[in-house]
Amino acid sequence: MDMREDLYREFEAIVGPRNISRDKSVLETYRCMASQNSAHYGPYKVRTPFPMAVLLPGSSEEVQKIIRLCNREGIHFKASSTFWSAQGYVSADNAVQLDLRRMDGVEIDAENGIAIIEPYAIAGVIQAEAMKYGYTCNIQGVGGSSSTVASTAGWQGPGPSSLFTGTNYDNLLACEWVLPNGEILRTGSLGSGDGWFCGEGPGPSLRAILRGGVGTAGDMGVCTKMAVKLAPWPGPDHLASRGKAPAYKADLPDNFRCYTLCFPDWEHWAHGVQLLHENRITYTSHRQFNMFGCDIKGAMVKILSDENKQLCDLPELLEDPEVKAATQDMHCDMQIVLAGMSEADLAYKEAALDEILRISGGHRSQFMAEKEIEDWALLYFIRMGRKNLNYVLCGSYEGHFGLARTNYYLAASLVEEASALKKHWEETTPYLAKVGGNSSMGGLAGIGGGGGVSWEFFAHFDSFDDASVKGVAEYFGETNKWMGAKGLGGCMGKVNEGSRRPDGYDRSQEELNKMFQYAPQPGVFTYQWKVREAFNPNHLTGTYYKTLEPSAVRTDVEGAASIFI
Amino acid sequence: MTAEEDLRLYAGARAFDASPLPSAAVFPANGEEVQKLVLWAKEAGVPLVPVSSAAPHRSPASAPSVPGAVIVDLSRMKKIHSINRRFCMAVIEPGVTYGELRPALAKEGLTINLPVAPRPGKSVIADLLEVTPRRNCLLNWNYIDPLRCTEVTWGDGQKMFTGEAGGGAPDLKKQQSQGKWQINGGGPMMLDFCRILAGSQGTTGIVTWASVKCEPIETVKKVFVLRSQDYDPVRRAVQNALKLRFSDGAFLVNGAALYRMLPDTAQLLAEADGGAAWTAVIEASGREILPEMRVAQQEEDLRGIAAAQGLVLTELTGALGETAGRELDGSGFAEGYAAGAVRLPFVTTLGKAGEFAEKLQATANQKDCGFGLGLYIQPLHQGVSAQVEVLVPELPEGESFYRTALAQIAADGGYYERPYGDAAKIQFGKDPEAARTLEKLYDIFDPARILNPGKLTKAAAAAGQGEEVQP
């Protein structure tokens, strides 16, 4: 849809001629496959709508002027920074795309352990700046190349270090936010000009409307700046590395240790998680390399940590007895990093880990303790800079099941059954990579300090192959049914299906009402409807923000619909 | 309850803020009764003021601000619905006090991150909803930890669960039978319901149960002090310890506050070292895994950090240690350590807290107040901020100081995150956008303004409309 000339000139006057474009070839790059969850699940051929123009604002004031103009003219808008998924792209024809790449500031308040960041500050850069002052930050699971503001304001924000550093939900301090109605809200201590140190209050926390258990996916306006809590970094002022791409390794002092812990079964594994949650000795704690699949993870680690190996070495490595034994040993595994804040601290943490393993029946993997592999894994977890490896098997992957939320004992007890379902699809259809079924992975703490894990399975597939795309969608239908039957809620592969239509456009309110009208606690959605009406009265963002009209609540059939939580 | 002498228990919480007598007090037994009360009050236009703790009701949030209010006293709701050792979670009703919860948790091998010297009759839920700072700020990954999920009746009469509990059937027993233990307090979706409750002074909803995050109980524990005539070395030592995640509880107090909070400990310390202007109280604990080794490691590292500031880390041993432990846990305070004083809390950073302390002390001296101004500085949220609590004696000269200090703190950049009384007017006056946003939330959650009206609502409405603020 073309924009009126006079309107285009008004937008241009706000950001300047260098920071606006309506060139079709530029606009084409601001379209995404209309995936419903992450970036990598089709249908590949359907893409999000063309924006009328793309704007690159450079300040909160410019963002505010843009949003006010959008409200005046009824134009939809969506802001994004690192554009990880379809959530960041427009979902209507009369819409403008805000690309926040000019707003990339990072400022470290070293005395108080705070980073003040703008939307295009990626986690890897924030970490690099923080390390100069003896700090690090939580790097969200989506990886070091993604925007921390986007993760904090827009989505969830747990990562491998969250047990120690807290999740982005925990770490959010004061922030500056342009609401969809064009008002600027500065939360907590920032609102009265007192600083960035507190994001709560005065009285009830107004950040409640900006993000909850998940972020608002760009539907509650544009977060233009925020402060986040940092965590200690007991290492050098930069993350030294060695080796050649892609097998870079960390060169860190001996107070950093990276281990893969193996357990005889899932009950013991869950007990290990419990003890790590209670004792908080780990710097990072994650189940990572199983994402490739339980049958091939040992071989994949060998390939990826050795600059001379390639994927074509996989068949040979799979036959290697040492690799086979290690892979079997690591069936119920997790990876952790210990970081000693002092000599005594490291000694205590090592001894405590021994004791935890003794109690929970676990042991350290010898295979993963080989120096080159350990240093490769250490860099992996501290920087989270290898998100590209998620795609390495087939070009696309999608998270699904979302098996573990807070009861990881229950989740662990179901892993093999879920794996069997996936393995069945791997073996009886051509849609998924055959990796042994179990490809469960994720952080061991979905909440700072422990409590819950954030687990998903990876489905590796080919998004350029229509049959593979369609087959995965069917498979997710089955996993969704399985989750529902177990009382576990919806499959995360389906979680955003309600947010856009299959053609990439917004859902209607009637469609949303049908999705949520039988929710067991409809207030979750009706209050969101009321908040949307109060702060986004012209409905100019999108339908990722899940709403239910109060008049549409139905109670005639109890539990008729699963809830997308 | 309607007798005047009984209702007086609920009025006049603070000497410097007048509070009208409520018209009645009711004692609901469960969430359903609370919901009926709210629906009735909404229809009748009757103000409701939720109260949970045992008397004396000293919290400024729990005294009515308008005449004719009905007190909703939740102290009968004393059920501990569950204690789950595996996930370190408890679900409790608002009438459950620290004096009741702590032994129940201990039986299961658990404890809860405590504030300094909580009075045994204080409702745990009320304390968490007031966001009273915890001694161990390192356990506050999240600002409002350890508060997690709740059952709430909002001011519009709708009852629901918040946090992950909001995603399942509205039946606590059913959820727990499905292995859901109300662990994650966020959301459950994009609106953070729990944050609309926390800090609201009972103005948005009435909570009828809450889940709280617990910790394995300490099996070895030591209490240390750092003492100095100057604030900065003590502050730097505490800040450096927190930065490296050392300690299991740390706060700073001036002499007057130490005598108020830990009177016997203060006396014994003064006898030993002649007294000090500033004291940091630091705890180190071991729980189930290698407790002695952990405490020894903490002690060694804390000692080094203290020495770097020219300070000596002194362990409180023997009778002194026992006294300090007992006093820290509040078992000797039937009325709380602030009895006879008005608390004036604000948030700043640890570094700036010292500047505030100096200025406030200077103001007290200028006014020739003649009383010891208590200053308690509690690091918050893993050390990124700190609450300064000014303890002002309930004396006529105290009130004059209090009024001056209220304005002075705000002018100097102190943040009233928990704005009580006139602090709300000042804070919203500094931040009218927050006032306008809060008004919109009240329109949604308490459209008839029946929940504790006159607390935040009046101040927010005035500031939101641009009325001039007169501190």
Side-chain angles (χ1 to χ4, degrees):
Chain A
M1 188 173 170
D2 291 334
M3 184 183 280
R4 272 183 4 238
E5 184 64 22
D6 61 318
L7 202 49
Y8 185 81
R9 296 299 165 206
E10 276 199 73
F11 280 120
E12 187 183 65
I14 295 170
V15 294
R18 285 176 55 82
N19 298 308
I20 185 169
S21 177
R22 54 183 162 178
D23 183 320
K24 286 280 183 208
S25 60
V26 172
L27 298 183
E28 177 63 38
T29 66
Y30 287 94
R31 301 179 71 203
C32 176
M33 61 177 88
S35 59
Q36 303 302 345
N37 191 23
S38 296
H40 9 270
Y41 164 50
Y44 179 73
K45 287 174 181 167
V46 179
R47 297 172 73 79
T48 56
F50 263 108
M52 291 195 292
V54 59
L55 297 106
L56 279 64
S59 67
S60 307
E61 290 68 31
E62 288 184 10
V63 171
Q64 183 181 40
K65 285 178 185 169
I66 292 167
I67 293 180
R68 283 185 168 163
L69 184 50
C70 286
N71 273 275
R72 193 191 79 192
E73 296 292 330
I75 293 173
H76 291 235
F77 62 91
K78 180 66 77 121
S80 194
S81 42
T82 41
F83 290 89
W84 170 251
S85 79
Q87 291 177 8
Y89 295 80
V90 303
S91 46
D93 285 326
N94 61 332
V96 291
Q97 177 78 54
L98 277 64
D99 179 343
L100 303 175
R101 72 180 57 220
R102 288 174 65 210
M103 300 171 70
D104 62 354
V106 180
E107 184 189 329
I108 305 295
D109 170 357
E111 179 165 301
N112 298 300
I114 293 171
I116 300 145
I117 55 175
E118 290 189 325
Y120 199 67
I122 62 170
V125 168
I126 297 167
Q127 185 190 56
E129 290 300 312
M131 281 177 173
K132 295 174 187 170
Y133 302 94
Y135 290 103
T136 186
C137 58
N138 176 58
I139 296 188
Q140 51 275 2
V142 69
S145 58
S146 65
S147 158
T148 295
V149 166
S151 165
T152 309
W155 206 230
Q156 290 182 302
S161 68
S162 292
L163 177 57
F164 179 72
T165 60
T167 66
N168 289 345
Y169 172 71
D170 299 315
N171 296 339
L172 174 59
L173 304 172
C175 68
E176 179 181 76
W177 201 299
V178 186
L179 295 168
N181 59 11
E183 297 295 317
I184 295 184
L185 177 63
R186 295 178 177 90
T187 60
S189 52
L190 187 65
S192 45
D194 299 322
W196 291 90
F197 50 82
C198 182
E200 316 292 329
S205 279
L206 300 175
R207 69 167 261 189
I209 61 171
L210 305 178
R211 78 150 287 167
V214 293
T216 41
D219 281 4
M220 197 43 79
V222 185
C223 179
T224 50
K225 208 171 195 179
M226 67 171 53
V228 294
K229 174 162 59 78
L230 299 172
W233 163 249
D237 62 6
H238 69 289
L239 185 47
S241 61
R242 67 172 189 277
K244 291 179 185 170
Y248 293 119
K249 281 118 190 163
D251 251 344
L252 286 173
D254 192 42
N255 60 323
F256 289 91
R257 313 273 170 84
C258 184
Y259 299 120
T260 288
L261 310 180
C262 309
F263 297 85
D265 55 44
W266 290 109
E267 177 75 13
H268 286 83
W269 182 93
H271 194 197
V273 172
Q274 181 191 333
L275 293 171
L276 291 178
H277 282 187
E278 288 177 8
N279 292 282
R280 297 162 184 141
I281 57 170
T282 58
Y283 200 68
T284 74
S285 37
H286 207 63
R287 175 168 160 83
Q288 183 67 60
F289 304 119
N290 196 63
M291 71 180 184
F292 298 115
C294 63
D295 284 356
I296 67 169
K297 63 179 158 185
M300 287 301 292
V301 166
K302 275 280 190 191
I303 291 169
L304 295 169
S305 61
D306 183 342
E307 64 210 34
N308 297 312
K309 287 198 166 48
Q310 300 183 52
L311 275 178
C312 61
D313 295 317
L314 189 59
E316 187 185 333
L317 283 166
L318 287 173
E319 296 305 316
D320 183 322
E322 186 212 0
V323 174
K324 275 172 117 169
T327 303
Q328 199 170 1
D329 186 38
M330 295 189 294
H331 187 75
C332 303
D333 74 348
M334 61 179 81
Q335 284 77 38
I336 64 160
V337 171
L338 298 185
M341 301 291 159
S342 68
E343 209 173 302
D345 183 48
L346 184 65
Y348 164 71
K349 284 171 174 168
E350 284 283 12
L353 178 59
D354 286 341
E355 185 65 2
I356 286 169
L357 291 174
R358 186 190 65 76
I359 295 168
S360 59
H363 64 273
R364 294 174 177 84
S365 161
Q366 288 307 303
F367 174 81
M368 295 294 287
E370 195 266 310
K371 175 73 176 161
E372 290 299 291
I373 292 180
E374 182 187 350
D375 285 350
W376 171 80
L378 191 55
L379 186 62
Y380 197 118
F381 291 113
I382 289 177
R383 177 53 51 89
M384 283 298 284
R386 292 197 176 99
K387 203 68 186 178
N388 59 310
L389 298 183
N390 290 16
Y391 303 85
V392 81
L393 285 187
C394 303
S396 291
Y397 85 96
E398 184 58 277
H400 63 296
F401 280 122
L403 194 55
R405 293 183 182 169
T406 51
N407 189 336
Y408 44 84
Y409 275 93
L410 180 62
S413 72
L414 295 168
V415 167
E416 293 303 332
E417 193 178 324
S419 301
L421 174 60
K422 179 162 175 272
K423 193 169 184 178
H424 173 75
W425 276 72
E426 287 176 7
E427 291 182 347
T428 58
T429 75
Y431 312 136
L432 295 164
K434 289 180 188 172
V435 294
N438 187 345
S439 53
S440 59
M441 63 83 63
L444 297 192
I447 303 173
V453 297
S454 50
W455 247 24
E456 58 190 287
F457 276 53
F458 276 15
H460 300 279
F461 69 103
D462 183 357
S463 66
F464 288 84
D465 176 68
D466 283 348
S468 185
V469 169
K470 190 164 174 286
V472 170
E474 286 169 16
Y475 165 60
F476 287 174
E478 288 301 304
T479 57
N480 198 42
K481 275 187 213 162
W482 184 88
M483 293 283 286
K486 298 285 179 194
L488 299 171
C491 169
M492 68 177 283
K494 291 272 187 187
V495 75
N496 275 324
E497 199 170 85
S499 304
R500 283 177 192 263
R501 297 194 319 234
D503 63 6
Y505 287 82
D506 280 337
R507 293 280 183 188
S508 67
Q509 186 62 54
E510 290 69 32
E511 286 175 297
L512 295 173
N513 288 346
K514 277 184 188 164
M515 285 176 207
F516 305 122
Q517 62 188 353
Y518 289 108
Q521 300 196 53
V524 170
F525 301 98
T526 55
Y527 282 119
Q528 290 191 168
W529 183 87
K530 289 177 182 178
V531 166
R532 200 251 331 249
E533 294 302 299
F535 296 100
N536 184 12
N538 296 319
H539 304 180
L540 296 181
T541 50
T543 46
Y544 284 90
Y545 194 78
K546 306 216 173 1
T547 57
L548 169 63
E549 275 181 292
S551 60
V553 173
R554 300 279 297 272
T555 53
D556 50 328
V557 184
E558 195 184 347
S562 64
I563 191 166
F564 291 90
I565 292 176
Chain B
M1 177 194 290
T2 51
E4 190 174 324
E5 65 269 28
D6 294 331
L7 295 175
R8 286 206 180 282
L9 288 172
Y10 299 101
R14 298 209 306 183
F16 308 156
D17 295 315
S19 177
L21 208 60
S23 62
V26 291
F27 297 83
N30 53 48
E32 286 66 37
E33 289 185 10
V34 168
Q35 185 181 26
K36 283 179 190 166
L37 266 171
V38 172
L39 288 168
W40 164 79
K42 187 181 152 198
E43 193 66 31
V46 174
L48 298 179
V49 178
V51 172
S52 303
S53 301
H57 301 294
R58 294 195 54 83
S59 165
S62 63
S65 291
V66 295
V70 170
I71 299 290
V72 182
D73 189 326
L74 304 164
S75 59
R76 276 173 72 204
M77 297 181 64
K78 285 195 171 293
K79 274 189 201 142
I80 297 175
H81 286 287
S82 60
I83 296 176
N84 184 306
R85 171 61 188 86
R86 177 175 270 184
F87 295 107
C88 298
M89 292 298 301
V91 177
I92 57 174
E93 290 189 339
V96 176
T97 63
Y98 282 113
E100 292 156 350
L101 181 62
R102 292 182 60 208
L105 289 176
K107 274 188 201 165
E108 305 296 327
L110 293 173
T111 186
I112 182 173
N113 188 13
L114 292 168
V116 171
R119 68 184 177 95
K122 181 74 186 175
S123 155
V124 176
I125 288 184
D127 211 30
L128 294 174
L129 287 170
E130 284 191 59
V131 205
T132 303
R134 310 282 111 185
R135 289 211 301 266
N136 188 354
C137 76
L138 293 179
L139 292 177
N140 276 86
W141 278 268
N142 199 298
Y143 195 87
I144 61 172
D145 265 339
L147 178 65
R148 297 289 175 84
C149 302
T150 70
E151 176 186 72
V152 58
T153 295
W154 300 107
D156 68 356
Q158 189 167 166
K159 185 155 74 75
M160 64 180 280
F161 295 177
T162 68
E164 72 165 286
D171 180 333
L172 187 64
K173 276 189 183 163
K174 188 173 176 184
Q175 288 198 7
Q176 295 190 340
S177 72
Q178 293 170 334
K180 296 170 183 169
W181 295 97
Q182 299 76 45
I183 295 169
N184 192 339
M189 290 294 293
M190 293 159 160
L191 187 56
D192 215 3
F193 289 100
C194 198
R195 279 189 151 79
I196 296 170
L197 291 164
S200 74
Q201 301 182 28
T203 63
T204 54
I206 301 180
V207 171
T208 42
W209 60 250
S211 63
V212 293
K213 173 72 175 161
C214 303
E215 300 293 326
I217 201 163
E218 304 93 342
T219 55
V220 179
K221 190 170 177 176
K222 287 188 179 184
V223 182
F224 305 96
V225 290
L226 297 173
R227 306 258 282 167
S228 173
Q229 292 307 118
D230 299 318
Y231 174 75
D232 255 355
V234 181
R235 183 268 297 182
R236 276 197 292 268
V238 168
Q239 204 160 22
N240 291 342
L242 294 175
K243 179 180 174 183
L244 297 176
R245 303 281 173 90
F246 294 148
S247 80
D248 295 279
F251 63 92
L252 299 87
V253 278
N254 73 353
L258 183 67
Y259 267 96
R260 183 173 276 285
M261 288 176 170
L262 315 176
D264 295 342
T265 307
Q267 185 63 41
L268 290 167
L269 277 172
E271 285 166 13
D273 67 9
W278 286 98
T279 302
V281 179
I282 302 176
E283 297 165 82
S285 312
R287 298 176 195 267
E288 289 182 350
I289 303 280
L290 306 179
E292 288 87 0
M293 187 180 182
R294 183 174 189 280
V295 173
Q297 171 267 312
Q298 295 272 307
E299 182 172 353
E300 180 185 327
D301 284 320
L302 289 168
R303 207 168 284 288
I305 287 168
Q309 299 302 325
L311 300 172
V312 177
L313 185 79
T314 305
E315 184 190 346
L316 305 186
T317 55
L320 189 52
E322 280 174 30
T323 303
R326 176 174 44 79
E327 290 184 327
L328 273 173
D329 288 351
S331 46
F333 290 100
E335 296 195 13
Y337 69 79
V342 168
R343 293 166 147 180
L344 173 53
F346 64 95
V347 178
T348 180
T349 60
L350 260 178
K352 281 186 79 176
E355 295 167 27
F356 277 106
E358 233 172 76
K359 274 195 165 184
L360 288 164
Q361 195 58 65
T363 304
N365 293 341
Q366 272 169 16
K367 286 188 166 283
D368 203 13
C369 286
F371 56 73
L373 188 65
L375 291 162
Y376 156 46
I377 298 169
Q378 176 64 63
L380 304 170
H381 207 185
Q382 301 194 311
V384 301
S385 57
Q387 177 195 265
V388 179
E389 185 173 85
V390 189
L391 294 156
V392 187
E394 287 177 344
L395 302 167
E397 58 269 39
E399 180 161 9
S400 163
F401 167 81
Y402 176 81
R403 303 276 167 218
T404 306
L406 263 178
Q408 182 186 326
I409 289 164
D412 290 343
Y415 172 51
Y416 292 118
E417 183 254 336
R418 298 190 289 147
Y420 295 115
D422 287 344
K425 289 181 203 160
I426 294 173
Q427 185 58 45
F428 286 117
K430 281 172 73 180
D431 188 1
E433 184 59 33
R436 283 191 287 274
T437 307
L438 187 56
E439 278 287 286
K440 287 185 182 179
L441 278 185
Y442 282 131
D443 288 344
I444 293 168
F445 289 95
D446 183 19
R449 306 295 197 273
I450 54 160
L451 292 183
N452 215 352
K455 282 284 184 291
L456 299 172
T457 45
K458 200 171 164 187
Q465 287 158 18
E467 284 181 24
E468 194 179 343
V469 177
Q470 294 289 343

